[in-house]
Amino acid sequence: MSIFGSYTPNRLFMTHLHQMHRFCVECGTTLRGREDKKFCDDHCRSTYNNRLNRSAYQNARSIDRKLKRNYRILQNLGVPSAEIECDKLRELGFEFQIFTSIGTNFDGVELRHVYDLKYQFVSESSILFL
C-alpha cells in the first residue's frame, strides 16, 4: 500500500510538478528552496519593497521637508515676541499653510504651531513669533 492510500498519483504529473520553475519577483532568477519563496535574496526583497512603498511615503516626506524648512526659518528669526512681516517669511520660503497643529490662547486668538514653535497672525501682513 502506498502513502497515498488507494490513490496512486500520475507519475508524469509528479515529475512535471518537480520541474516547474519559480522566479524571483525582483530580478527574475530561478528560485531554489521553499515553495513559497518569492525572492532570491535579501537584497531583492528589500529593493522590491522599497520600490513598492516609495510612492506611499513620498507625500509624507514632502510635507515633512516643508515643516522642517518652516521650523528652521522661525528658529533663525530668533527673538520671541517679535513681529515679522509675512512677505519677508515668504521670501525665505516659509509656507503658511504648512504647520503641525493649531490652537487658541486664553484670549481666543488662533495660534499655529510648527513643532514646538508658535506664531499668531497680528494682521494679514504680519505675524507675532511667540
Side-chain angles (χ1 to χ4, degrees):
M1 183 161 188
S2 77
I3 59 170
F4 298 102
S6 61
Y7 172 74
T8 306
N10 183 335
R11 195 181 245 335
L12 186 59
F13 174 74
M14 292 296 287
T15 305
H16 176 69
L17 191 65
H18 288 293
Q19 290 177 351
M20 285 193 334
H21 295 288
R22 296 175 330 257
F23 300 97
C24 176
V25 175
E26 181 62 22
C27 69
T29 59
T30 304
L31 295 175
R32 298 187 189 281
R34 293 188 352 229
E35 288 183 25
D36 62 341
K37 192 172 181 181
K38 293 181 181 179
F39 305 100
C40 60
D41 59 19
D42 287 338
H43 174 72
C44 281
R45 180 184 48 78
S46 178
T47 302
Y48 176 82
N49 286 320
N50 286 341
R51 186 169 29 82
L52 194 65
N53 293 326
R54 183 178 306 145
S55 63
Y57 298 118
Q58 191 169 5
N59 190 35
R61 280 194 302 265
S62 173
I63 291 170
D64 194 45
R65 269 194 308 274
K66 291 175 183 180
L67 280 168
K68 287 177 182 176
R69 183 187 322 122
N70 280 359
Y71 185 83
R72 277 192 308 273
I73 291 168
L74 288 175
Q75 197 174 36
N76 290 336
L77 291 173
V79 186
S81 301
E83 193 170 321
I84 304 158
E85 296 295 320
C86 292
D87 289 336
K88 179 182 177 185
L89 291 171
R90 280 190 197 95
E91 287 173 15
L92 295 171
F94 193 88
E95 295 185 49
F96 289 98
Q97 69 276 16
I98 306 292
F99 49 90
T100 53
S101 64
I102 193 166
T104 55
N105 65 7
F106 57 90
D107 293 330
V109 177
E110 180 183 276
L111 297 175
R112 291 190 180 185
H113 300 251
V114 179
Y115 299 117
D116 62 329
L117 303 178
K118 296 180 265 187
Y119 66 91
Q120 72 182 44
F121 283 94
V122 178
S123 67
E124 288 185 21
S125 61
S126 65
I127 67 162
L128 181 63
F129 177 51
L130 304 171

